[in-house]
Structures are given as C-alpha cells and as structure tokens.
Amino acid sequence: LEELTPKPVQDTGNILKQGYLEKRSREHSFFGSEWQKRWCVLDKSSFYYFANEKSKQPKGNFSIERYSARLASHLRKDSRKSCCFELTCPGKRTYEFTAPSPAEAEDWVDQIQFLLKDLSSLTIPCDEEDEGEIYNDVDSSDSINTTSHNTTLNQEESNVEMNDDDIYEVLPGKQPNKQ
C-alpha cells in the first residue's frame, strides 16, 4: 500500500534541513494565534511547511530562489525573539519563523544562505571558452581525439566489456573461479 501512495517530501533524499518551526500566519486574527507550529522542510530548491511531520501534503511551499534569509529579532517581543528569522524576496511574500532555539534559527539561516549561494552559482552563464565542453558527450563518438571525460569513460567501459576476466578483483588468499 505504501508504494502506491505518493511519498512525502521528507522521503525524497534531497532534504537539507527539516524540523519544527513556528510560522507566522498571513492572516493576523485578533482572537487566533498568529504563530503556528509547522513541520518545515528545506530541499535543494524549495521550502515546504506541513501541519506536522506525518503530513503527506504541504500546507504551503515556495521556491527559495532569489529569497534571502536573515535573523530577525524584531519579529517578537517575548523571550523567543532571538530565535526568529525571516525569508524575504522583493515583490514576493515574506515568510517569518521562530526556531526552538537561537542556535537552531542560526542554523536554518546558514543552511538557506548556503543553498542560495549554490543556486546562484548554477545560474552563472558559461564563459565562451567553456562553451561546447559541457555537452560534448553528445557527439564524442564521432571524434577520435576528444579528451572529454565522457569519452574516457566510454573507452574504459568498452575495455571492461572486452576483458571479462579483468573486471573482478582477486582478493589475497583467494583464487578466481575458472570455468
């Protein structure tokens, strides 16, 4: 039965950080609580928040690209003000959170900033001198003198196929089984 149900984000293997945070709700009700406990998950490109850690469907999520993260003690006036951080992006919604401790808040901010640096490095355009090298594997079989990584790997793989006896490592004190 588990195989048929969609896997929650927590099971995808791409999680960088997850845990309970208090998230400030967008609707500030006079009677309602403005901070709700949410299970939060940061993966390689998005931030998800769930009702709890067993929830399959997120209550919300957003791409963190172009967001910035910073500690934000101004969000609360109580003893937990040093546990607060926010995610902001010009022209988009600001997300405000309270972590269980100041160290945990700092860790969330550090993880998000690290990820944002990584995301921005992926969007840097290639220099002209690098152009063509990245996707050289498409037609590397046509070129004999290509020194791309992929060609080297393909040559090694074909050597392995030709020399079946050489693909197994002989451990000390063991004789290979000859048929």
Side-chain angles (χ1 to χ4, degrees):
L1 195 84
E2 278 185 45
E3 293 172 297
L4 300 175
T5 57
K7 286 186 171 185
V9 171
Q10 297 94 303
D11 295 344
T12 62
N14 295 322
I15 305 303
L16 299 176
K17 184 151 182 70
Q18 61 186 346
Y20 278 105
L21 297 171
E22 287 182 30
K23 183 185 136 320
R24 182 179 258 171
S25 65
R26 211 179 339 195
E27 302 86 33
H28 298 288
S29 166
F30 182 74
F31 296 107
S33 167
E34 66 175 310
W35 293 94
Q36 293 127 357
K37 189 175 180 178
R38 296 286 182 242
W39 179 255
C40 297
V41 176
L42 175 66
D43 74 9
K44 293 177 180 173
S45 62
S46 299
F47 192 102
Y48 299 84
Y49 50 96
F50 298 82
N52 59 54
E53 79 184 278
K54 303 220 184 316
S55 298
K56 302 279 187 218
Q57 290 296 320
K59 287 200 148 291
N61 68 306
F62 58 96
S63 168
I64 65 160
E65 197 172 355
R66 293 191 295 276
Y67 268 83
S68 62
R70 66 182 180 132
L71 294 172
S73 60
H74 67 277
L75 295 179
R76 292 179 85 132
K77 305 288 181 237
D78 61 11
S79 61
R80 307 216 30 229
K81 67 182 185 178
S82 59
C83 303
C84 297
F85 67 96
E86 64 184 358
L87 300 174
T88 59
C89 181
K92 292 191 178 180
R93 177 180 172 190
T94 295
Y95 292 89
E96 301 168 336
F97 298 96
T98 303
S101 69
E104 194 63 18
E106 203 169 316
D107 191 45
W108 275 96
V109 169
D110 289 346
Q111 286 289 331
I112 293 165
Q113 286 175 340
F114 177 79
L115 182 58
L116 290 167
K117 252 185 239 175
D118 200 36
L119 282 173
S120 67
S121 73
L122 293 174
T123 58
I124 296 173
C126 295
D127 292 338
E128 286 181 24
E129 63 193 43
D130 293 340
E131 203 170 306
E133 287 184 40
I134 295 172
Y135 299 107
N136 201 15
D137 61 329
V138 172
D139 55 2
S140 64
S141 59
D142 298 338
S143 172
I144 297 169
N145 296 326
T146 304
T147 56
S148 97
H149 235 33
N150 293 320
T151 303
T152 306
L153 288 174
N154 290 340
Q155 287 171 350
E156 288 172 11
E157 287 170 7
S158 61
N159 288 345
V160 167
E161 289 170 17
M162 285 188 266
N163 302 327
D164 283 338
D165 293 341
D166 296 340
I167 64 170
Y168 298 103
E169 180 181 358
V170 179
L171 298 174
K174 301 272 185 183
Q175 291 298 321
N177 293 336
K178 295 282 184 189
Q179 294 179 352

